[in-house]
Amino acid sequence: MPIPPFLKPRVLIAACAALALSACFGAPEAMKQGGGKRPTASTPARPQLTGTPSFTSPEARQCAFDLKQAGVRFTPLPNEDHGGGCSSIDSVKLLDIGTPVTNLGAMTCPLAKNFAAWAQFAVRPAARKYFGQEVVKIETYGTYSCRNIYGGRSGRLSQHAYSNAVDVAGFVLADGRRIMLDGGWKGDKTSQDFLRALHKSACRRFGTVLSPDYNAAHYNHFHLDMSGNGYCR
């Protein structure tokens, strides 16, 4: 139906206003994401609360109690569904385990408990045994990451996608030396002995332990997670 002449200016003004608003807010999300495709593990959706409070099960509450009893300072985190199959359930943020640690994000409570115990009862004593000094920092490549195994485009999700893994890169000694998996694993004898002792002790605490001997993707770190049943490589 033709637009009456007296309405044409108003229609033109409304059209201009609509164009201006679209320029301010940008393209719709479906267009930005290629027609509304499902997010992949490497590009997770914005985290959303699952609606379930964390640490409600007896096992989770016992784990939190064990952490407190061990003198570990931590903050419980809300349960989150990050999209793409990735999640953080009954996880914590470690604040103080007695030794500073870099890059720690969300960790499942069992992983946090075993990691803190490994640092206290394996890492620190081993540094004193092999180097005669204290470890003043543990360096990691982080914990939670919504991605597939080895960061591939396909395949099953990594334990990192569930906040259930940590990648340990190396250790800083009191004299400033950095004993890193990259170089130290096949380095001088003392560094090799130290790192292999830590690998052996980790295999008794974590469900899966992968070292530089496992494959090229692990040349520079220990992968420690709570899945599996004592898989140690």
Side-chain angles (χ1 to χ4, degrees):
M1 182 176 67
I3 301 173
F6 71 90
L7 288 178
K8 286 183 178 180
R10 298 182 185 180
V11 172
L12 182 61
I13 291 171
C16 291
L19 287 173
L21 284 172
S22 67
C24 290
F25 291 108
E29 285 302 311
M31 295 176 64
K32 290 180 184 177
Q33 297 176 4
K37 292 182 180 179
R38 178 181 179 271
T40 64
S42 57
T43 56
R46 185 175 180 179
Q48 298 292 325
L49 289 176
T50 65
T52 305
S54 60
F55 292 91
T56 57
S57 71
E59 295 80 10
R61 289 197 297 268
Q62 181 64 49
C63 182
F65 177 80
D66 292 342
L67 273 178
K68 291 178 182 178
Q69 288 294 99
V72 174
R73 291 181 56 241
F74 65 95
T75 298
L77 300 176
N79 287 346
E80 287 189 301
D81 177 357
H82 299 271
C86 304
S87 62
S88 299
I89 306 298
D90 292 334
S91 297
V92 302
K93 169 71 173 178
L94 288 178
L95 304 177
D96 185 3
I97 65 170
T99 300
V101 186
T102 65
N103 301 319
L104 291 185
M107 305 173 77
T108 61
C109 187
L111 175 66
K113 183 177 76 170
N114 284 36
F115 181 77
W118 182 66
Q120 179 179 355
F121 298 113
V123 175
R124 293 202 284 268
R128 290 191 289 267
K129 176 180 177 180
Y130 291 100
F131 298 105
Q133 57 186 297
E134 298 294 325
V135 164
V136 296
K137 185 185 296 182
I138 299 173
E139 298 188 352
T140 84
Y141 291 129
T143 53
Y144 171 78
S145 176
C146 189
R147 61 177 174 81
N148 295 320
I149 290 177
Y150 310 137
R153 289 182 174 272
S154 61
R156 69 181 187 274
L157 287 172
S158 165
Q159 287 297 307
H160 288 284
Y162 310 113
S163 305
N164 199 35
V166 57
D167 289 339
V168 177
F171 311 86
V172 181
L173 303 177
D175 65 1
R177 264 186 297 172
R178 297 170 75 232
I179 312 302
M180 309 302 290
L181 272 295
D182 184 6
W185 188 252
K186 295 183 178 179
D188 63 87
K189 186 177 185 307
T190 305
S191 295
Q192 286 194 43
D193 291 346
F194 169 69
L195 293 174
R196 279 162 177 76
L198 296 185
H199 176 260
K200 183 178 180 180
S201 65
C203 291
R204 295 193 292 266
R205 294 185 181 276
F206 300 93
T208 295
V209 176
L210 304 177
S211 74
D213 284 344
Y214 179 59
N215 63 14
H218 295 81
Y219 78 97
N220 62 353
H221 66 277
F222 288 141
H223 169 95
L224 313 174
D225 75 50
M226 297 305 295
S227 72
N229 187 25
Y231 187 79
C232 181
R233 293 288 299 273

